[in-house]
Amino acid sequence: MTKTTKTTRTSRIRILAGLTVTNRISAAYLVLVGGAMAVAAAQPLVAPGPDASLVWVWPALFTFPAFGFVAWLGEAGWGGEAPTWFLLGGIVLSALVQSLALGTVWRTLRGRRSDRGHLTTAS
C-alpha cells in the first residue's frame, strides 16, 4: 500500500468523522439522542412500572427516518420480537447516519453562503 493511498483513506475517514461528530449541528443532534437514551435507560430506576418501557419511543422518534428501516428489519427478521441489542444498536447506528446527513447538509449550506461572498452596501 502506498503512502498516498493511506493518506487518502485517512483523510476520507477524517472528513466523515468531521461531518458526523465535530460540527455544531451534528453534535447537538447526537447530544439530543444521547440524552434521550440516557433518560430512557434511567427511567426504570426512577419509576418502575409497566409503562417504563414506553420512554424508549423518544430515542426511536428522534432517529425515525433511519430507524424506520431498522424497525422494518427487526419485524422481518424476528417477527416483531427483535432483541434489545438489535434495537439499541439500530438507534445508535440511525443517529450516526442521520448525524452524517445533517453534517453534510450543514457543510453544503455553509459552503454556498461563503461562495456568495460578503455583501456590502456597494454591492
Side-chain angles (χ1 to χ4, degrees), residues 19-93:
L19 289 174
T20 305
V21 179
T22 60
N23 65 68
R24 293 179 201 164
I25 301 299
S26 296
Y29 173 72
L30 290 174
V31 166
L32 176 75
V33 174
M37 289 183 73
V39 167
Q43 181 67 25
L45 301 173
V46 176
D51 293 335
S53 65
L54 290 177
V55 75
W56 281 100
V57 168
W58 288 105
L61 285 177
F62 288 147
T63 60
F64 179 68
F67 186 73
F69 181 69
V70 173
W72 175 78
L73 283 176
E75 181 72 28
W78 286 282
E81 296 295 324
T84 304
W85 64 264
F86 180 78
L87 296 175
L88 290 177
I91 289 173
V92 170
L93 184 63

Side-chain angles (χ1 to χ4, degrees), residues 6-29:
K6 186 176 181 181
T7 305
T8 304
R9 185 177 305 154
T10 304
S11 65
R12 286 181 186 167
I13 291 171
R14 284 185 180 168
I15 290 170
L16 285 176
L19 289 174
T20 305
V21 179
T22 60
N23 65 68
R24 293 179 201 164
I25 301 299
S26 296
Y29 173 72

Side-chain angles (χ1 to χ4, degrees), residues 19 100-110:
L19 289 174
L100 175 63
L102 283 170
T104 303
V105 168
W106 176 252
R107 182 176 178 187
T108 302
L109 291 175
R110 294 218 10 125

